[in-house]
Amino acid sequence: MKKLFLFRHSLTLANEEGKYCGALDLHLSQKGRDLLLKKKEAGLFPNIAQAKVYSSPLIRVQETLRLLYPDLEYSIIPELKEMSFGIFENHSYEELKNNVDYQKWISGCNKKNICPQGESGALMEERVLKSFKHLLPMLEMNDLALFSHGGPIATIMNFLFPKENKNLYQWQPDFACGWKVDIQGGPFESF
């Protein structure tokens, strides 16, 4: 068994402004690019030159990958994209807090509640895990690097380490961070 690397994209302007941006296809902000390059210069990212590399189709993730590893080839996996927040996309809590549809969505079980014209956390998790389980056999022969978003990464970590009893927010790495996992049941560490 080999290693699994899970990378979260860096910041977008919507992230900086506290807006929902799951399905929106946004570029990295200048602050997001600067953060990546600063961490890269400090040697904080793992060597994944021998890994099979996959990416979400969204541009902020691919820009993150290209800034960190400009020469690596990668394939797109559409199922690695973030949850769609539907009509809440590109809006902040402050903008939405009095919206009846938003109040319904955030009350009760966020995992089961579906965003209008979007998806629920449970639907996102089902999509991500179905795709990830198809990749697992590759880890017998290759390291695997996945470039994605906070929700999908947290979903994968929760699937791999259910006994940790962490919620998805505890598994979600910060922007421009991620997880290195020893699939043989060994340790996991953040980067």
Side-chain angles (χ1 to χ4, degrees), residues 61-79:
V61 177
Q62 292 180 56
E63 286 177 344
T64 296
L65 193 163
R66 287 189 207 117
L67 280 170
L68 295 180
Y69 305 99
D71 299 325
L72 287 184
E73 291 185 21
Y74 63 95
S75 299
I76 300 293
I77 298 181
E79 294 80 10

Side-chain angles (χ1 to χ4, degrees), residues 6 16 45 88 99 121 149 169:
L6 300 168
E16 292 177 39
F45 294 106
F88 307 138
N99 178 303
H149 310 264
Y169 295 106

Side-chain angles (χ1 to χ4, degrees), residues 50-61:
Q50 302 304 313
K52 296 279 187 185
V53 181
Y54 296 92
S55 173
S56 157
L58 300 183
I59 193 70
R60 60 190 179 267
V61 177

Side-chain angles (χ1 to χ4, degrees), residues 2 33 91:
K2 298 287 187 170
R33 286 189 285 282
H91 295 286

Side-chain angles (χ1 to χ4, degrees), residues 68-136:
L68 295 180
Y69 305 99
D71 299 325
L72 287 184
E73 291 185 21
Y74 63 95
S75 299
I76 300 293
I77 298 181
E79 294 80 10
L80 289 178
K81 65 185 176 188
E82 184 60 276
M83 180 178 144
S84 171
F85 294 102
I87 65 171
F88 307 138
E89 295 273 354
N90 209 26
H91 295 286
S92 68
Y93 170 80
E94 284 301 315
E95 294 169 327
L96 294 168
K97 66 184 178 185
N98 297 319
N99 178 303
V100 174
D101 290 329
Y102 182 73
Q103 290 172 355
K104 286 180 189 174
W105 178 63
I106 63 170
S107 64
C109 181
N110 270 0
K111 188 172 179 175
K112 292 181 182 176
N113 291 350
I114 297 175
C115 297
Q117 300 175 23
E119 64 185 332
S120 67
L123 289 171
M124 180 273 298
E125 289 177 18
E126 181 181 329
R127 165 176 48 82
V128 169
L129 289 178
K130 182 177 180 184
S131 179
F132 179 68
K133 288 175 184 177
H134 281 99
L135 294 174
L136 278 175

